[in-house]
Amino acid sequence: MGEKIVINGWVDYNAQPTADVLLNFQVITENNTVIVEKSSSSDKQGHFQFELDTKNLPPGIYKIMVTSHCLEVHRSICSYNSETLVVELNSP
């Protein structure tokens, strides 16, 4: 609790880095309320980063969901994949 969580990841298609893929990040509480929502795109190497500052969050279990969305150029290969990371914040 009180620290920044940094998630680094990458997007690939057929084992090749994929640039400019729109990614949606959601932080969801235990009662399924979305408290943070942000979008960004993968870079030239397919990498992305999401930061969550937990200093104002109460203890509890949170889900961080990353979903790949498509820009028009990727429409033919888009599969809207998502990954979820579960994080538990504890009092210090």
Side-chain angles (χ1 to χ4, degrees):
M1 241 176 83
E3 296 184 21
K4 190 178 291 188
I5 295 171
V6 179
I7 297 175
N8 293 294
W10 68 94
V11 179
D12 63 30
Y13 176 71
N14 285 339
Q16 296 297 314
T18 309
D20 298 322
V21 173
L22 183 62
L23 300 160
N24 177 261
F25 304 91
Q26 291 185 331
V27 179
I28 304 164
T29 64
E30 291 178 86
N31 64 358
N32 290 319
T33 301
V34 176
I35 59 169
V36 175
E37 186 162 14
K38 179 184 173 190
S39 293
S40 69
S41 296
S42 56
D43 67 14
K44 291 182 212 177
Q45 292 80 36
H47 294 119
F48 65 84
Q49 181 172 300
F50 172 73
E51 294 184 6
L52 174 65
D53 190 349
T54 66
K55 70 179 176 185
N56 294 320
L57 295 179
I61 296 174
Y62 296 85
K63 293 185 284 188
I64 301 173
M65 185 167 28
V66 182
T67 304
S68 65
H69 289 260
C70 297
L71 298 176
E72 192 60 39
V73 69
H74 298 115
R75 186 76 46 207
S76 64
I77 63 171
C78 187
S79 57
Y80 294 95
N81 290 326
S82 67
E83 291 291 331
T84 302
L85 175 67
V86 177
V87 176
E88 183 174 0
L89 298 181
N90 296 311
S91 297

